[in-house]
Amino acid sequence: MDILEQRFGVPPHIAGPAATFAFFAFFIIKKMGLLSNTNHFPVEGKTILITGASEGMGLAAAILLAKKGASIILVSRNVGRLEEALVKVTAAAQSPSKQRFTYISADVSEPNYAEAVIAQAIAWNSGAAPDIVWCVAGLSTPMLWADPANDSIAATRRNMDVNFFGSAEMSRAILKEWLAPENKPKETGVIDQKPEPKHIVFTASMLALFAIVGYGPYTPSKWALRGLADTLNMELGMYPEHPVKVHVVYPGTITSPGLERENKTKPQITLDLEKDEPAETPETVAERAVKGLEKGQYNVTVSTLGDLMRCGILGGSERNNWVWDTVVGWVVPVIYFFVIRIMNAQVAGWARQNGHPHVKKAA
């Protein structure tokens, strides 16, 4: 306050509030991470295992992380696509003489698949478990839940097997390795410097933040991932000598072979509701996701819309930033007051125009 008064001639009754405002503004900016360049997700020299890595977002993430100096283990079912992906990822290496790349063929929907994959990864990696595991493998089978022409229960079981249990089994298999007493990280030798944490990254969806009609078989599997991540995030506090960070990525629509497959069963009303959402390339999504991970974010969104939706439904989840998330969390319900009514009106309008969803209109 004295500086404001003496150097700039600011009156005392203004200098006090101005200094207070400046302090809190600095505090908020610092808390939002705008003054920090710390990389909380360094990958150079690390070994990363990625499921669903033969195409789409998984492949794009593998290529990007290879460019940043990581060694990559690609996991997917199709050997032919894995071999093609391996060529692309290897060509992207930052330091080809130091990095290594391989693939493991596995079906993430098969019970107990993950322990065998981790065992193969450890054997290839000179007896060490991967430093980072990113579960990207997933599928979506949109359909109207109550339509008798659809077997929505069978579709839901399939979506849960791939999207939830595929990631859940992988997380359990790698955590058993990371948290084993004999695998305690070595001390850094520097006072007050903790060992670098391992990272487990789940891939959910914006539909785990805001559900819409047509995704009944898919959305529950992604909400389940959120619940598992929140649970593990707390549970891992029981292992302070084995630091592990949990993250959840929430992509929206991605222009990938997976989108082409899901559009084959997607109801028209669903296409109508999401027609204004811009689809992003796998490369864009992967780049934004990695930036969020490097910032140390727990819930990682890849768009402004996704971040608004995240703040609107945090519940007991860890905050990326308490100030920002709280303030935006107050605003989002006001936005939803209008958005939900508009979307429900669209659904009602579609029903009036097209009639009963189970009755096919005459040609």
Side-chain angles (χ1 to χ4, degrees):
M1 285 188 296
D2 290 341
I3 293 177
L4 290 174
E5 293 174 39
Q6 295 173 7
R7 180 168 296 182
F8 301 104
V10 179
H13 68 281
I14 297 178
T20 302
F21 175 81
F23 170 79
F24 280 108
F26 176 81
F27 174 79
I28 292 172
I29 291 172
K30 183 175 175 59
K31 281 294 183 181
M32 288 176 63
L34 299 179
L35 299 180
S36 173
N37 294 320
T38 302
N39 182 359
H40 298 274
F41 192 73
V43 301
E44 186 172 355
K46 305 292 179 61
T47 299
I48 304 177
L49 183 148
I50 305 174
T51 69
S54 65
E55 63 180 27
M57 176 184 170
L59 176 56
I63 291 173
L64 176 59
L65 295 169
K67 290 179 179 178
K68 290 177 175 285
S71 294
I72 309 291
I73 302 171
L74 310 172
V75 179
S76 189
R77 285 186 304 170
N78 190 296
V79 172
R81 287 203 295 266
L82 278 169
E83 290 176 344
E84 294 174 1
L86 186 64
V87 172
K88 296 176 182 178
V89 174
T90 302
Q94 180 191 80
S95 304
S97 62
K98 298 179 180 179
Q99 293 169 253
R100 302 170 65 222
F101 305 96
T102 191
Y103 69 79
I104 298 173
S105 176
D107 184 345
V108 303
S109 69
E110 289 293 325
N112 305 314
Y113 85 95
E115 290 199 2
V117 170
I118 293 300
Q120 285 181 254
I122 291 173
W124 176 82
N125 198 36
S126 305
D131 303 289
I132 298 167
V133 169
W134 191 340
C135 300
V136 182
L139 61 82
S140 175
T141 316
M143 60 183 65
L144 294 180
W145 184 264
D147 190 339
N150 300 327
D151 192 346
S152 57
I153 295 299
T156 301
R157 293 187 191 280
R158 175 63 178 163
N159 277 248
M160 287 294 292
D161 283 342
V162 175
N163 301 340
F164 176 71
F165 285 109
S167 297
E169 287 205 17
M170 177 56 72
S171 68
R172 189 169 190 276
I174 192 60
L175 287 174
K176 284 173 64 178
E177 288 295 326
W178 287 342
L179 302 179
E182 64 273 17
N183 291 336
K184 176 183 174 182
K186 295 180 181 179
E187 298 293 336
T188 63
V190 180
I191 298 175
D192 294 330
Q193 182 178 345
K194 298 179 180 179
E196 286 191 16
K198 308 295 186 183
H199 295 265
I200 176 76
V201 185
F202 296 108
T203 305
S205 164
M206 283 174 61
L207 289 167
L209 305 171
F210 190 102
I212 67 171
V213 61
Y215 285 105
Y218 173 76
T219 299
S221 66
K222 297 301 187 177
W223 281 75
L225 273 181
R226 282 189 61 202
L228 176 61
D230 282 358
T231 304
L232 291 180
N233 190 48
M234 182 178 288
E235 180 178 328
L236 290 170
M238 300 172 66
Y239 305 89
E241 295 183 337
H242 301 257
V244 178
K245 293 291 185 181
V246 180
H247 312 269
V248 190
V249 178
Y250 297 88
T253 301
I254 304 175
T255 55
S256 67
L259 177 62
E260 296 174 11
R261 290 190 288 268
E262 76 172 61
N263 280 343
K264 293 178 181 179
T265 64
K266 189 173 292 181
Q268 185 59 48
I269 180 61
T270 309
L271 291 168
D272 291 347
L273 288 174
E274 62 184 16
K275 69 179 185 299
D276 294 325
E277 180 200 346
E280 303 283 3
T281 65
E283 292 75 20
T284 297
V285 173
E287 182 179 0
R288 292 175 182 173
V290 170
K291 284 183 178 178
L293 294 169
E294 290 176 342
K295 292 178 181 177
Q297 294 177 350
Y298 171 70
N299 286 313
V300 182
T301 56
V302 297
S303 67
T304 301
L305 177 60
D307 204 48
L308 287 172
M309 294 164 69
R310 174 187 68 82
C311 292
I313 197 166
L314 281 170
S317 291
E318 182 170 320
R319 272 61 176 164
N320 293 344
N321 176 278
W322 277 95
V323 176
W324 172 262
D325 293 354
T326 300
V327 172
V328 177
W330 290 337
V331 175
V332 171
V334 178
I335 299 173
Y336 277 168
F337 177 85
F338 299 98
V339 170
I340 293 172
R341 281 159 176 76
I342 291 170
M343 295 187 74
N344 285 337
Q346 286 181 275
V347 173
W350 191 95
R352 286 193 298 271
Q353 181 178 350
N354 295 279
H356 196 291
H358 304 173
V359 179
K360 292 185 178 180
K361 300 178 69 172

